[in-house]
Amino acid sequence: MKDVTQLTDGWSLRHEDALLPARVPGCVHTDLLAAQVIEDPFIGLAETEVAWVGRRAWTYVRPLAHDSAHERTDLVFDGLDTAASLTLGGRPLGTTRNMHRRYRFDVTGLDGELEVRFASAYDEAAAVRAVTGERPNVYPEPSQYIRKMACSFGWDWGPTLVTAGIWRPVRLEHWSTARIARVRPLVTVDGTTGRVEVRLDVERTRQGQGRTLTVEARVAGARAEAVLTGDEAVLRLDVPGVRLWWPRGYGEQPLYDLGITLSDDTGVLDTWQRRIGFRTVELDRAADEHGTGFTLVVNGVRIFARGVNWIPDDAFPSRVTPERYRTRLTQAAEANIDLVRVWGGGIYEDDAFYDACDELGLMVWQDFLFACSAYPEEQPLRGEVEAEARDNVVRLMPHPSLVLWNGNNENLWGFRDWDWEPALAGDSWGEGYYLGLLPRVVAELDPTRPYTAGSPWSGSWDHHPNDPAHGTHHSWEVWNRQDYAEYRASVPRFVAEFGWQAPPALATLRRALPGEDLAPDSPGMLHHQKAEDGNGKLNRGVARHFPLPEGDFDRWHYLTQLVQARAVAAGIEHWRSHWPVCAGTIVWQLNDCWPVTSWSAIDGDGRPKPLYHELKRVYADRLLTLQPTDEGLVLAAVNQSAAPWHTTVTLRRLEADGTTLHEGTLDVAAAPRSVVRLAVPEVLAPAERSAKEFLVADAGTDGLRALHFPVSDRDFAHPAPRYDIALEPVTGQRDRVDVVVSARTLVRDLLLQADRLGPAAACDSGPRTLLPGEQTRFRVTGCGPVDLQDVRAALFCVDMV
């Protein structure tokens, strides 16, 4: 039986004339930080002070001695970042140049000092660029010339921290005769019968050549066996009466253990085990009267995808533990998200990420790792790209949560619109990967899943790559140049990226910028704002709706976070109301990799922004929304649940002081997975430019409410907000308190920023609008003892006085 020895301990990092303790998995930055050689680059302006780290070569060493009775010993690295040469006892083992691949070296009979020498990623990229020639890039860094996490070189939300190191586990594998080299389970469903076709490759030792081997596969009581005289086998298992794996909100997520055993006449040689789920997944890209669709179909059910984009959860990915993955993805599931897109400028995440998605019912859209650049297709990159794709397709394909492979992020769009074509002058730029190599690899290795060439992509060059009527669309004109109301100007078939910026929580800013007198343009705030004209866009977004605060950081902070939440909600409500023409939205972005002003719903310290709570509301199975159209005001009832929804909606046209001007009801009956759009009677609709009237729609006992104000806040006759606050301790729980707010006037978008009560404090909801006489309750946890003065200072609302 194969033996495995983990090589976690005993590593050192050479720094000048010293050997520093090194953590594996880890990276140079985290080791230097632990040794107090560098300051934390997440704090203040320290990022710029550690730029030298990414431009140096680094060496990791450890003694390696092993004594095994097995015929063969392999040294296996799950991840090396990035360009490395390896020696053992002074003998060369090999070289690497890809962060996204696994590597295996035969070290049978060898021992001594194991040395892993990493070249500077900048030097490696320069060497490749000298061979391939120049290619255009959105950012002034060489990420397209090296198979490394592109956002290591910085992004418009991320720091430039160019890492190196042994970033994933390393081990010794001792084995004899043969080992399992590769397993590809092709999982399908035929009626109620699950089918698993296991394609297996083995590697043999010299003594194992020609030996008769037996391989057995088991799942859910089904068993298949094959005899190998060569190096490949195919086993087929039928599993009657399987329970289907469903996305969250559509059913349960049963998982089955698939086990493979390789044996010879001496006994078991090797085993392999993964969890699988039985489900079908298709991508409907049929043409229709609206253009070209892009609808995910799971187990025959058409799905509106309620998605978020995922970036690496830390600029140093080796620090992301299984527990951290679970926390972040549980936050996603609790916000009614059902799809996570792993963005192409990051990494293929650890198996723990996909395990959590399998269990939580979060569908995964997986980008291949190409983003915002023209990529050379010549060697040495082409071979690396194919090996990387093959490695990761095989590694990830057992996971039922994985529903889509995507060729790249924005590169097809970039070729068409970003002036790349003249600069390329006929040179390769990646098209051969996205339309040739990658679909071929997926079709060969994982034909059970759909592939799309890119995001955005209209399906062919017959249409503009970012044409909203065809395929996937990235909506960035609104954030860059317009008011968020302009999201309502079109109905794309699938919105794979859109978003709005906001700063992180105040407690996150205080930790990241200690001692700074916070202002929108203070040094630390500007350094932790990486987007081009980011603050200008934030301020213009606020100014379209509110007077821009001057000299009041707390107010600016509240308004920028509020506008982010409103903007994203406006887009999602509009697009969901047009299902099935629009079949999904993927918000940019769920998470951050450090403390920064960005488009995230959860900031770099893991604190939810108001946007996070809005996602809970607008991604709920049932949503009520009021949508202005050219034909008048429309009430849309979105029912994504499996049950019919019948409710009575009460509509009230109110004056700003809460006086009811007119009231009526609409009977709403929405079938499962459907949308009902009803015209609001003219007598109930506020005048188009009224500054004194607004409309409230309440859905019976469902507790759902929609609001419509005809003009922006700055033009509306808001009364001075008045409300009373009471504190109610939660019985038996000293760190919890209910904040009860009773409104005496219209109180719009009341927000409790719980982190102002303590860094560990959290609130159960985001902004809430109260009518005169209404009461709401905020549950605060982790706050410790608080008083009314503390709470009042943590409460914000729209106040035009």
Side-chain angles (χ1 to χ4, degrees):
M1 179 67 176
K2 181 175 73 176
D3 294 329
V4 177
T5 304
Q6 298 294 334
L7 300 180
T8 302
D9 301 323
W11 290 93
S12 299
L13 172 66
R14 285 187 184 149
H15 174 55
E16 297 176 346
D17 296 328
L19 285 177
L20 306 178
R23 182 168 184 156
V24 171
C27 74
V28 172
H29 288 81
T30 54
D31 291 332
L32 295 175
L33 186 60
Q36 298 183 331
V37 174
I38 61 172
E39 298 295 323
D40 187 342
F42 287 11
I43 304 301
L45 309 183
E47 174 203 351
T48 58
E49 298 167 7
V50 302
W52 60 271
V53 175
R55 296 189 176 274
R56 287 195 183 181
W58 296 95
T59 299
Y60 283 83
V61 296
R62 64 156 287 161
L64 185 63
H66 54 94
D67 183 17
S68 172
H70 280 288
E71 298 172 44
R72 172 89 170 260
T73 298
D74 289 344
L75 176 62
V76 182
F77 291 90
D78 285 339
L80 289 167
D81 175 17
T82 293
S85 60
L86 294 87
T87 61
L88 178 56
R91 176 175 173 175
L93 295 180
T95 60
T96 73
R97 61 194 324 159
N98 193 326
M99 178 180 181
H100 309 301
R101 289 179 58 188
R102 294 171 290 188
Y103 292 94
R104 179 179 294 267
F105 304 98
D106 183 352
V107 296
T108 306
L110 301 178
D111 57 19
E113 184 175 69
L114 174 59
E115 192 172 71
V116 185
R117 298 188 296 272
F118 290 97
S120 159
Y122 285 102
D123 291 345
E124 167 71 7
V128 172
R129 178 164 48 193
V131 173
T132 64
E134 294 284 342
R135 299 296 191 280
N137 184 348
V138 170
Y139 298 102
E141 295 278 341
S143 61
Q144 70 268 48
Y145 305 105
I146 182 171
R147 296 310 299 158
K148 174 179 174 58
M149 184 173 85
C151 61
S152 285
F153 293 95
W155 221 260
D156 56 5
W157 38 257
T160 301
L161 294 168
V162 181
T163 52
I166 305 169
W167 76 289
R168 279 185 167 159
V170 55
R171 61 192 174 275
L172 289 174
E173 293 186 0
H174 314 280
W175 55 283
S176 298
T177 306
R179 70 175 186 91
I180 297 172
R182 187 172 77 166
V183 178
R184 293 193 296 117
L186 303 173
V187 182
T188 57
V189 181
D190 184 1
T192 60
T193 299
R195 296 225 162 108
V196 185
E197 180 179 287
V198 177
R199 294 190 168 267
L200 176 92
D201 297 328
V202 301
E203 182 184 8
R204 297 173 182 262
T205 63
R206 182 174 301 173
Q207 292 89 335
Q209 297 298 322
R211 294 280 295 272
T212 298
L213 306 175
T214 302
V215 61
E216 180 187 66
R218 293 180 179 271
V219 62
R223 176 182 175 277
E225 186 176 282
V227 175
L228 285 79
T229 55
D231 297 334
E232 299 178 354
V234 179
L235 298 91
R236 295 179 175 87
L237 301 95
D238 284 353
V239 186
V242 295
R243 298 166 57 220
L244 296 179
W245 184 96
W246 288 95
R248 63 159 304 283
Y250 288 81
E252 297 180 344
Q253 293 79 44
L255 299 169
Y256 296 83
D257 289 326
L258 172 63
I260 311 293
T261 302
L262 180 69
S263 307
D264 69 357
D265 55 10
T266 67
V268 175
L269 300 173
D270 199 0
T271 61
W272 179 98
Q273 184 167 318
R274 299 289 188 277
R275 292 184 305 173
I276 62 171
F278 291 96
R279 55 102 183 95
T280 63
V281 59
E282 304 165 84
L283 182 60
D284 184 353
R285 290 181 270 201
D288 57 25
E289 67 272 25
H290 305 287
T292 308
F294 194 93
T295 304
L296 285 165
V297 184
V298 178
N299 299 326
V301 175
R302 301 172 69 81
I303 290 176
F304 181 98
R306 294 170 279 186
V308 286
N309 283 273
W310 172 277
I311 65 169
D313 205 52
D314 198 307
F316 307 128
S318 58
R319 295 200 296 202
V320 182
T321 62
E323 295 74 22
R324 184 161 157 185
Y325 277 126
R326 177 76 56 169
T327 296
R328 199 71 68 245
L329 291 167
T330 298
Q331 287 176 303
E334 290 175 348
N336 297 312
I337 289 157
D338 60 23
L339 182 144
V340 178
R341 176 190 172 208
V342 181
W343 168 75
I347 59 175
Y348 304 99
E349 297 290 344
D350 187 81
D351 280 306
F353 172 93
Y354 304 93
D355 287 340
C357 290
D358 291 342
E359 296 167 14
L360 293 168
L362 294 170
M363 296 179 287
V364 175
W365 159 329
Q366 176 67 57
D367 280 12
F368 287 100
L369 301 185
F370 304 89
C372 301
S373 301
Y375 286 81
E377 296 175 39
E378 295 78 24
Q379 298 293 9
L381 289 179
R382 185 176 184 84
E384 289 294 340
V385 166
E386 179 162 2
E388 167 193 319
R390 289 181 175 276
D391 193 343
N392 287 283
V393 168
V394 171
R395 177 172 73 90
L396 300 181
M397 63 186 291
H399 294 282
S401 56
L402 179 58
V403 297
L404 183 68
W405 292 105
N406 175 53
N408 75 90
N409 176 74
E410 298 191 345
N411 295 341
L412 296 159
W413 181 19
F415 178 76
R416 176 58 58 87
D417 273 4
W418 300 346
D419 296 323
W420 288 3
E421 194 166 5
L424 287 166
D427 287 338
S428 66
W429 55 275
E431 182 183 28
Y433 296 148
Y434 320 134
L435 299 179
L437 173 64
L438 295 175
R440 173 171 58 80
V441 169
V442 171
E444 174 193 338
L445 298 178
D446 188 19
T448 66
R449 285 182 180 85
Y451 169 87
T452 184
S455 184
W457 180 233
S458 59
S460 78
W461 288 114
D462 292 339
H463 307 286
H464 188 281
N466 201 30
D467 187 333
H470 300 277
T472 49
H473 176 67
H474 289 193
S475 179
W476 285 116
E477 282 299 297
V478 173
W479 156 252
N480 284 321
R481 296 175 179 85
Q482 300 170 342
D483 180 48
Y484 60 73
E486 294 304 312
Y487 283 132
R488 303 190 188 107
S490 68
V491 182
R493 305 312 303 268
F494 194 109
V495 187
E497 278 190 22
F498 78 107
W500 205 274
Q501 271 202 346
L506 185 68
T508 300
L509 290 173
R510 291 292 186 204
R511 186 192 69 82
L513 305 175
E516 180 161 314
D517 186 9
L518 293 176
D521 58 353
S522 59
M525 286 294 295
L526 289 179
H527 184 75
H528 289 247
Q529 162 63 279
K530 297 295 187 180
E532 182 181 359
D533 191 30
N535 274 14
K537 294 170 185 177
L538 278 177
N539 290 339
R540 289 189 290 275
V542 169
R544 293 181 185 108
H545 297 267
F546 304 95
L548 195 62
E550 297 291 341
D552 186 344
F553 179 79
D554 287 343
R555 193 75 190 161
W556 179 87
H557 181 268
Y558 161 72
L559 291 177
T560 51
Q561 288 201 333
L562 175 62
V563 170
Q564 180 194 37
R566 283 195 189 178
V568 172
I572 293 174
E573 290 190 35
H574 167 65
W575 292 319
R576 282 193 76 185
S577 76
H578 284 279
W579 162 260
V581 177
C582 180
T585 56
I586 309 182
V587 177
W588 188 270
Q589 65 218 56
L590 174 69
N591 58 327
D592 270 325
C593 65
W594 76 313
V596 65
T597 295
S598 83
W599 297 264
S600 70
I602 300 169
D603 75 20
D605 281 5
R607 294 186 175 93
K609 298 179 186 177
L611 169 59
Y612 173 81
H613 296 287
E614 272 296 89
L615 289 179
K616 282 187 182 181
R617 181 183 70 83
V618 296
Y619 272 163
D621 280 351
R622 290 176 176 173
L623 172 68
L624 201 66
T625 179
L626 290 163
Q627 294 292 314
T629 72
D630 292 341
E631 291 74 38
L633 201 57
V634 167
L635 174 74
V638 180
N639 180 25
Q640 205 160 342
S641 73
W645 182 23
H646 185 221
T647 189
T648 299
V649 176
T650 301
L651 296 111
R652 289 175 288 164
R653 179 161 61 90
L654 305 178
E655 285 193 327
D657 64 2
T659 302
T660 300
L661 299 173
H662 203 89
E663 183 173 328
T665 60
L666 288 175
D667 189 61
V668 174
R673 322 290 191 204
S674 73
V675 175
V676 171
R677 294 171 62 92
L678 300 172
V680 173
E682 189 173 340
V683 69
L684 291 169
E688 185 176 347
R689 296 298 301 166
S690 173
K692 298 181 179 180
E693 298 178 6
F694 65 105
L695 180 63
V696 179
D698 290 303
T701 58
D702 296 281
L704 300 183
R705 169 174 283 181
L707 297 164
H708 171 67
F709 289 80
V711 295
S712 71
D713 297 74
R714 64 180 306 145
D715 297 325
F716 190 75
H718 283 284
R722 292 183 291 121
Y723 51 85
D724 300 316
I725 307 169
L727 303 184
E728 296 182 4
V730 179
T731 304
Q733 300 184 50
R734 296 181 60 188
D735 69 335
R736 299 190 176 194
V737 66
D738 283 354
V739 177
V740 182
V741 178
S742 303
R744 289 188 278 157
T745 63
L746 171 66
V747 179
R748 193 168 178 194
D749 288 311
L750 181 69
L751 176 68
L752 176 58
Q753 293 188 353
D755 61 289
R756 291 174 180 265
L757 303 176
C763 184
D764 65 348
S765 69
R768 300 179 183 178
T769 291
L770 304 179
L771 304 180
E774 291 185 336
Q775 187 178 89
T776 193
R777 182 180 297 266
F778 297 98
R779 171 66 55 88
V780 181
T781 59
C783 58
V786 296
D787 58 29
L788 280 175
Q789 184 176 351
D790 296 330
V791 171
R792 186 170 291 278
L795 280 167
F796 294 81
C797 68
V798 172
D799 187 350
M800 307 305 293
V801 176

